[in-house]
Amino acid sequence: MISRRQLLQLGGLTALGAGWPGGALRALAQSPAQVRRLILISHCHGWPYATWKMRPEGVSESEPWSVDLEQLPETAFSRPLAPLYEHRRRILALDGLSLATAELDGGGNRHDRGWVHAWTGNNADFAGRDTRSTSASLDQLVAAHVARADRLPSLEVSVDAALEAGRPISYNSGGVRLPAENTPLRAWNRVFGPASSGDTVGAYRRSTLDFAYQEYRAVAARFDANDRARLESHFGLVDRLGHRLEGLATLSCEAPPRPAASFDRYDLQFDAFADIIAAAFSCDITRVVSFSLGEMPTAEFGADHISDKVHKGIAHYIHEDVRKHDAMTQYAAYHGQQVARLVSTLESIPDAGGGSLMDNTLIVWGSELGDGWHGYRNYCPVLIGGSWAFDTGRYLHWPHETPAEMRVPAQVAPGGVTRFAGVPHQHLLVSIARAMGLDVNHIGLHHAYGQRGDLISLVGPLAGLRA
Amino acid sequence: MPYAMKLDLRMVLALLCAAGLAPLVAGASEEPGAAGEAAPLALTPTEYNNTVADLLGFPRNGERWPKRPSVADRISPRRTASKGVFSPPPPPDPWPWPFPAEPGADGFEGIAQGQSPSSYQVEELHLAGMHFGAFALLSPTFFDCPGWSDLPSAEREACAATSILRFGERAYRRPLRDGERGRIKAFWQAQLAAEPIDEAVALTVAGILQAPAFHFKLEPDPTEFDAWQLATRLSYFLWDSMPDEELFRAAGSGELASTEGIERQARRMLDDPKARPAVVHFHHQWLGTDQVLLIAPARRAFGPRFGVPRVLRNTRDDDTKWPAILGPIRHSMRLETELFVEEAIFDRAGTFTELMTGNHGYMSRGTAPIYGATTTEDEGRAAVTRQIEYVSVSVGRKRPLTLDPVVLDPTQRAGVLTLPSVLAIGAYAVQPGPIPRGVRILERVACMEMGDPIEGVESALPPDALGVESTNRERTAAATKPSECNSCHRRINPAGFAFEHYDAMGAWRAEDNGQPVDASGSLRLPGAEELTFADGVEFAHKLAASRRVRDCYALHWTRYALGSHLERNAPGLEPIQKRFRENDSVKELMVSIATSDLFRARSAGVGSEGGP
């Protein structure tokens, strides 16, 4: 991990006081111009819902409810959520959502459908050589809104373990998946390389942009005002792209140490990525990150006695093998520990605009599926941060009332199908987008039809996130 | 002074040289304020990719391009995808560049009103420029001299310099002006001073590919085009690409100053194979049939037709069978549409009537269950096999897809509107969609502005479900009966109900929910035309003969050719439409547009919308 001292040096920022007043998080004053940041984290194989969920005494399965996590002891937290106990004031654990539209979409493998729907809210496109989306992913929509013109609009990273790589969760507006940097060294090079190496490539690219812009300037006078404005809208962006390349090459903050070329443990790789993300935020090199978590080696979370493959050795069998269900619980908990460390890192670094980086960051921890059985029914995302937009520190529950039939194992529901689904996750995507400043009413699909023909509206935010 | 008047002997000679290998010797002067260039239309993604292929002398097939040169990675490394999910991702082809789609206007790309740049698009154009700039080093046509890489240093530099200027002329699609020539030379010299010569060449070409004169089709103001810009408009209209050497020659020689000269070139270009994909591309946009690659018919409704049970048999079944079937079907529908359109216009009568009523289809193994037993093989035409790609079980597959020519039952099919592609994009997962089908007919085929539906109207639509108690027509009619719906649906519904004989995948059906299908109706078009029909086949025949529909088709083509939202009553449009009404020929319509006053003037789009 980068030491706190190193990170403080990066941006020349003032250190925070040693202790944080317990209730200060929600009270932090936010300037209107405060920089907001977003991290999307997506892990493989969903959650084992039975051990993920929390059921404080007296709650109902058929009613919506929420509980204040600060009032619960650590022992009341479920195993996958327990690692986040120390950050409980920042979190919103969402119980009752589903990837209903992924179930309704007709094509592809359920993994592919799941990750496209989870992060774009839209149908997948399987008619080419690679799985594509039919609209941009949430991170790209947000990046287009919050990015600095002279910095990276977004950073895509992936912990690619030996077994299965991180899923492609970031899609551009053309539906093409964006490549993710899959080693910390590559991510470091992308973020800090231009400023550290003199960036010959950036200079090359800049020269061609300058030529194009100068050609525009040379002919601009020939056009009337309307047409000049039309050209200006294009070449103004060309000029801005040049400034971005220059901006990245002339960063004033120091780069953190270059990470190792390889790591022998998934955990260490995660932490190295987390450090780079934190440093990139501290230097304001980017404001949006998608962080895709590939499959963890079973030895790392203590399940190698069951199988050496999470996907086909464990995850598929969570509903028929108690040991494997337990292993996936440990899998989710292990990711929970990693996410908690990322939060701690961001908390330890002061933000130029006040508070810590974490105070101005929203982390969305989701997945490609509801569970390892390939189910979409119980989708269990956790929001961490975003207290400027959400009333955090709660566990929320909604009953399943959406008229979409969801596939489940026969031991869960007779016939292998439930009559209703949870709240479509698109509403959460809208809430996140709005928290990041986008004025939108839907993300991806606008509506869908259940198998019985019922109209399912996907418009509007998720109710109850702001008390 | 109009730029056209500056076409002097030097330029004519220069263009004649350009037809060979020599660079242009001089250019026009660049006087600020002279004959203003205007209406800057950007190259569309299709046009950009076709243009760089033609500029660099490579085929329009990425698999036949050389491997991306190492210089490309030195000047602009391409971020590579991580090692993949369940298999390594396929390497990107050198060509085409995967630009984001244009938002479009009137349903078409390349219309000024539908082009607005985004930072993402501009970055992609920049990266594409760097990518294709490096390919100049491998291009069979770029260098003026043979064996460039083996030449002595001084000769390499000299050859590169002249090659770059010649490339600039072709990229800008006209002679370089003095100022441009000087700036390109200066840019080249600056790159050469700083970088190895191969990188300097690539960077200079990359700069040219980002310049306004390449990326925008710059047009003069206010009245007439010069010959170069007319050639540019003509080639992007008929080929979706830049002019060839013959068209440059015609522009340089003054041949395009006459109607006869333009007509001669237009006919030549329509006979060129490059016209075929361009014409097909127009029709994809006209009817939205590219979207057929995204159709998602429900397994619970259509699985049994293809040997797949309605519901999963066991929990381990990862429902991969249905997607594996759908992939080739989607591609088959799209390819059939392309073959149908191309054959109707280029190999058969070439008439609008043929397009709207022909019954020459193409059927693959995947779509055979859709067509059923009423088709007959057509031995007079050859089968067509193409490579298709689709994702199945998370892995990209590349397979040959063969379409066999068939004769479709003329009592069941008539023309492009009854192709499964058009019908399937007008459907929900289970039931056919008379409303989207009807709206497509009214807006795209009859040029009737229907406006946006009432907010939240989706909730009023009939359920898209199996096991309903009435026919699709009855449910739709009931849902749209309220008076606030009726003002539009009195037209939308009949146009959509006409295709009730076709289910959501485009298969013909005699019954719906146990009841005989009623596809009859009557549609009143603006202009007092009343089309009464018994079914979709008769409707298609009546649409083909309709004055309104023919005028609409001619309007779409004219807008597309001009890149502007031309109003329906724009001066100069009527003669084009009149001739098309009389001769029915699609290719003649394109010649009429190319030789029209509208096409030869910059200003278009006057007129005002009136009536529905």
Side-chain angles (χ1 to χ4, degrees):
Chain A
M1 302 282 282
I2 298 175
S3 72
R4 186 175 179 201
R5 184 176 168 195
Q6 283 174 308
L7 283 164
L8 293 178
Q9 287 170 342
L10 289 175
L13 304 173
T14 307
L16 289 168
W20 285 78
L25 291 174
R26 290 179 211 166
L28 282 171
Q30 301 287 356
S31 110
Q34 180 64 57
V35 171
R36 306 297 190 199
R37 305 177 185 89
L38 176 68
I39 303 175
L40 304 184
I41 300 177
S42 185
H43 73 277
C44 301
H45 310 309
W47 303 264
Y49 178 68
T51 49
W52 179 90
K53 69 181 180 183
M54 290 164 53
R55 287 293 179 270
E57 201 172 328
V59 298
S60 162
E61 291 293 331
S62 59
E63 299 291 332
W65 47 265
S66 77
V67 293
D68 185 346
L69 291 172
E70 293 186 66
Q71 303 302 314
L72 297 180
E74 187 171 2
T75 52
F77 274 57
S78 65
R79 273 171 65 196
L81 292 173
L84 293 169
Y85 176 77
E86 63 175 308
H87 303 298
R88 60 194 177 283
R89 284 192 299 274
R90 294 188 186 276
I91 75 174
L92 281 168
L94 308 177
D95 176 355
L97 271 57
S98 69
L99 293 175
T101 56
E103 191 74 76
L104 296 167
D105 194 1
N109 177 280
R110 291 177 73 87
H111 286 273
D112 307 38
R113 257 150 69 187
W115 71 63
V116 170
H117 279 261
W119 300 109
T120 71
N122 216 331
N123 289 330
D125 172 2
F126 298 105
R129 55 164 43 193
D130 200 11
T131 299
R132 295 169 68 134
S133 67
T134 47
S135 59
S137 53
L138 178 64
D139 60 312
Q140 294 305 299
L141 296 173
V142 172
H145 182 70
V146 304
R148 276 178 62 163
D150 58 349
R151 295 290 191 269
L152 279 182
S154 62
L155 176 66
E156 297 77 36
V157 296
S158 172
V159 186
D160 284 4
L163 296 173
E164 289 183 9
R167 311 321 195 197
I169 62 171
S170 188
Y171 292 85
N172 66 29
S173 60
V176 178
R177 68 156 131 163
L178 294 178
E181 309 302 349
N182 66 348
T183 69
L185 181 58
R186 285 177 59 170
W188 187 94
N189 283 335
R190 181 153 191 242
V191 174
F192 298 105
S196 303
S197 65
D199 193 24
T200 314
V201 170
Y204 287 164
R205 296 178 56 190
R206 180 78 206 259
S207 72
T208 69
L209 291 164
D210 286 347
F211 172 77
Y213 189 68
Q214 291 310 315
E215 284 296 294
Y216 159 66
R217 297 300 308 163
V219 300
R222 300 169 65 89
F223 295 88
D224 67 26
N226 286 340
D227 293 336
R228 194 161 54 243
R230 192 170 160 74
L231 282 178
E232 178 65 36
S233 67
H234 178 93
F235 285 96
L237 292 169
V238 170
D239 196 35
R240 282 178 61 180
L241 178 56
H243 284 298
R244 184 203 301 170
L245 294 175
E246 183 175 294
L248 288 169
T250 56
L251 287 170
S252 58
C253 71
E254 277 186 39
R258 188 188 295 264
S262 63
F263 292 82
D264 57 4
R265 289 191 60 212
Y266 187 104
D267 234 14
L268 296 177
Q269 218 185 143
F270 180 98
D271 290 344
F273 276 124
D275 291 347
I276 291 166
I277 292 168
F281 279 0
S282 179
C283 291
D284 204 16
I285 296 174
T286 192
R287 296 170 177 176
V288 175
V289 173
S290 67
F291 195 0
S292 186
L293 307 182
E295 188 169 293
M296 275 192 292
T298 53
E300 200 144 340
F301 62 98
D304 48 331
H305 62 289
I306 298 174
S307 173
D308 60 355
K309 295 183 181 67
V310 175
H311 186 175
K312 293 185 177 171
I314 300 176
H316 283 181
Y317 307 97
I318 57 168
H319 294 296
E320 54 195 81
D321 185 328
V322 173
R323 283 191 322 150
K324 293 181 177 180
H325 192 282
D326 185 66
M328 288 311 289
T329 302
Q330 180 58 20
Y331 183 87
Y334 207 70
H335 276 318
Q337 292 168 20
Q338 291 160 350
V339 173
R341 291 201 300 275
L342 170 62
V343 175
S344 296
T345 299
L346 294 172
E347 278 183 338
S348 70
I349 302 168
D351 197 352
S356 72
L357 291 179
M358 191 60 225
D359 291 330
N360 300 308
T361 297
L362 170 59
I363 297 174
V364 183
W365 175 21
S367 183
E368 55 164 344
L369 292 164
D371 64 35
W373 180 84
H374 294 169
Y376 297 132
R377 181 169 184 256
N378 292 301
Y379 189 66
C380 309
V382 179
L383 304 184
I384 308 155
S387 56
W388 65 86
F390 304 131
D391 187 18
T392 57
R394 293 181 298 150
Y395 182 107
L396 288 90
H397 169 268
W398 295 267
H400 284 219
E401 296 175 335
T402 302
E405 296 174 358
M406 304 297 282
R407 279 188 63 204
V408 293
Q411 56 267 45
V412 173
V417 174
T418 63
R419 192 164 171 76
F420 293 98
V423 179
H425 80 293
Q426 278 87 353
H427 297 293
L428 172 63
L429 301 184
V430 173
S431 293
I432 296 163
R434 287 188 178 182
M436 297 306 298
L438 275 71
D439 180 18
V440 293
N441 216 22
H442 70 98
I443 297 288
L445 292 165
H446 177 274
H447 64 274
Y449 291 97
Q451 292 89 339
R452 298 183 299 279
D454 300 285
L455 178 75
I456 302 168
S457 173
L458 305 171
V459 172
L462 188 59
L465 297 190
R466 183 186 281 281
Chain B
M1 178 183 290
Y3 179 61
M5 302 295 285
K6 295 181 182 297
L7 190 68
D8 61 15
L9 182 59
R10 281 191 312 160
M11 292 179 63
V12 172
L13 288 172
L15 257 291
L16 291 173
C17 292
L21 290 176
L24 300 184
V25 293
S29 64
E30 188 171 44
E31 298 170 8
E37 292 176 329
L41 267 178
L43 297 183
T44 68
T46 305
E47 290 171 341
Y48 182 101
N49 278 312
N50 288 344
T51 302
V52 292
D54 291 351
L55 261 177
L56 295 170
F58 292 124
R60 294 182 187 179
N61 178 348
E63 291 186 351
R64 291 167 56 200
W65 281 49
K67 198 175 155 197
R68 179 172 145 108
S70 59
V71 168
D73 286 329
R74 293 210 297 275
I75 63 174
S76 178
R78 178 146 62 178
R79 292 176 63 204
T80 52
S82 56
K83 65 190 177 190
V85 181
F86 302 112
S87 70
D93 275 337
W95 181 96
W97 191 267
F99 292 106
E102 256 186 35
D106 298 328
F108 293 101
E109 56 181 33
I111 305 290
Q113 291 81 355
Q115 294 188 325
S116 63
S118 67
S119 57
Y120 174 69
Q121 180 212 25
V122 164
E123 181 158 10
E124 288 299 303
L125 285 165
H126 164 65
L127 293 172
M130 303 297 281
H131 173 82
F132 291 120
F135 272 99
L137 297 163
L138 305 178
S139 161
T141 60
F142 178 78
F143 289 109
D144 286 343
C145 45
W148 176 79
S149 58
D150 298 325
L151 293 174
S153 174
E155 289 178 44
R156 289 181 82 196
E157 285 184 27
C159 176
T162 57
S163 301
I164 285 168
L165 289 174
R166 189 180 65 114
F167 179 85
E169 287 159 344
R170 295 179 66 236
Y172 290 5
R173 301 174 286 270
R174 56 168 169 71
L176 297 177
R177 301 188 181 107
D178 291 342
E180 288 170 338
R181 180 177 295 275
R183 291 193 297 274
I184 291 175
K185 278 183 179 173
F187 183 52
W188 155 246
Q189 291 295 340
Q191 304 308 310
L192 187 61
E195 316 301 344
I197 190 168
D198 56 347
E199 291 180 18
V201 169
L203 289 166
T204 307
V205 171
I208 290 170
L209 293 179
Q210 296 171 75
F214 171 75
H215 183 58
F216 285 90
K217 296 177 273 185
L218 303 173
E219 301 181 352
D221 183 57
T223 52
E224 279 196 60
F225 287 123
D226 67 38
W228 310 107
Q229 286 156 341
L230 184 55
T232 290
R233 182 177 268 187
L234 197 55
S235 66
Y236 284 102
F237 169 37
L238 300 178
W239 284 348
D240 278 341
S241 189
M242 61 179 287
D244 66 353
E245 302 300 347
E246 165 61 15
L247 189 54
F248 277 139
R249 186 207 57 77
S253 68
E255 188 177 319
L256 299 184
S258 70
T259 303
E260 294 75 20
I262 298 170
E263 181 175 340
R264 194 159 43 244
Q265 286 297 324
R267 293 190 185 285
R268 175 186 73 85
M269 294 168 74
L270 282 168
D271 287 340
D272 189 289
K274 283 190 283 191
R276 293 179 172 233
V279 168
V280 167
H281 187 218
F282 166 89
H283 287 85
H284 268 318
Q285 296 172 79
W286 176 43
L287 295 173
T289 37
D290 258 344
Q291 294 298 307
V292 78
L293 292 182
L294 297 175
I295 60 167
R299 166 190 179 139
R300 63 185 180 280
F302 300 104
R305 179 180 293 165
F306 300 90
V308 177
R310 288 185 195 280
V311 294
L312 301 172
R313 287 190 173 129
N314 62 65
T315 55
R316 298 279 174 79
D317 183 347
D318 195 19
D319 62 356
T320 55
K321 285 183 186 168
W322 186 231
I325 288 170
L326 281 184
I329 288 176
R330 294 172 176 135
H331 281 280
S332 182
M333 287 182 176
R334 185 170 75 159
L335 181 53
E336 181 192 27
T337 310
E338 294 172 357
L339 295 171
F340 178 91
V341 169
E342 182 180 333
E343 194 172 317
I345 293 174
F346 290 97
D347 302 320
R348 289 179 175 264
T351 59
F352 186 63
T353 303
E354 178 70 32
L355 182 71
M356 296 289 282
T357 64
N359 63 339
H360 55 285
Y362 283 88
M363 186 172 79
S364 69
R365 262 197 338 202
T367 54
I370 295 173
Y371 276 125
T374 58
T375 56
T376 53
E377 276 193 39
D378 186 348
E379 294 177 357
R381 294 181 289 147
V384 175
T385 299
R386 299 269 171 85
Q387 290 291 326
I388 61 164
E389 293 175 319
Y390 60 97
V391 175
S392 177
V393 200
S394 301
V395 177
R397 319 271 171 180
K398 185 178 266 188
R399 300 265 167 82
L401 171 70
T402 297
L403 269 69
D404 294 310
V406 290
V407 178
L408 304 173
D409 183 343
T411 66
Q412 295 184 0
R413 306 275 172 180
V416 70
L417 297 179
T418 59
L419 290 179
S421 60
V422 177
L423 296 160
I425 58 174
Y428 306 105
V430 175
Q431 299 287 349
I435 295 174
R437 286 175 179 176
V439 168
R440 176 169 287 106
I441 294 294
L442 298 185
E443 291 193 333
R444 307 302 292 163
V445 179
C447 288
M448 295 165 66
E449 302 285 343
M450 300 311 296
D452 294 328
I454 300 167
E455 182 73 20
V457 73
E458 302 87 23
S459 60
L461 294 177
D464 182 38
L466 292 168
V468 289
E469 292 182 352
S470 53
T471 67
N472 194 44
R473 178 171 182 149
E474 288 167 343
R475 293 193 304 279
T476 304
T480 55
K481 193 173 182 182
S483 57
E484 63 268 29
C485 307
N486 193 252
S487 61
C488 293
H489 281 273
R490 66 190 169 87
R491 285 188 162 122
I492 294 172
N493 289 6
F497 291 153
F499 299 97
E500 274 298 286
H501 273 302
Y502 309 95
D503 69 17
M505 291 192 80
W508 194 87
R509 59 182 188 174
E511 294 184 348
D512 175 19
N513 205 26
Q515 303 293 315
V517 165
D518 177 6
S520 65
S522 179
L523 175 67
R524 177 173 288 277
L525 295 173
E529 282 185 275
E530 177 104 21
L531 309 184
T532 301
F533 47 87
D535 57 21
V537 169
E538 188 177 9
F539 187 43
H541 280 270
K542 294 207 169 174
L543 287 170
S546 158
R547 173 184 173 133
R548 172 82 184 190
V549 170
R550 289 192 179 198
D551 284 357
C552 175
Y553 184 75
L555 174 63
H556 281 308
W557 263 118
T558 311
R559 285 174 173 168
Y560 190 64
L562 299 175
S564 180
H565 179 79
L566 194 70
E567 302 294 1
R568 280 204 320 273
N569 59 353
L573 184 61
E574 167 59 19
I576 296 171
Q577 291 172 319
K578 180 170 184 292
R579 195 180 307 173
F580 181 57
R581 286 197 296 270
E582 291 165 357
N583 68 23
D584 195 22
S585 164
V586 175
K587 287 207 286 188
E588 287 303 317
L589 167 64
M590 297 171 76
V591 172
S592 292
I593 293 169
T595 53
S596 69
D597 291 342
L598 279 171
F599 193 78
R600 290 190 286 174
R602 180 241 168 178
S603 299
V606 292
S608 59
E609 292 290 348

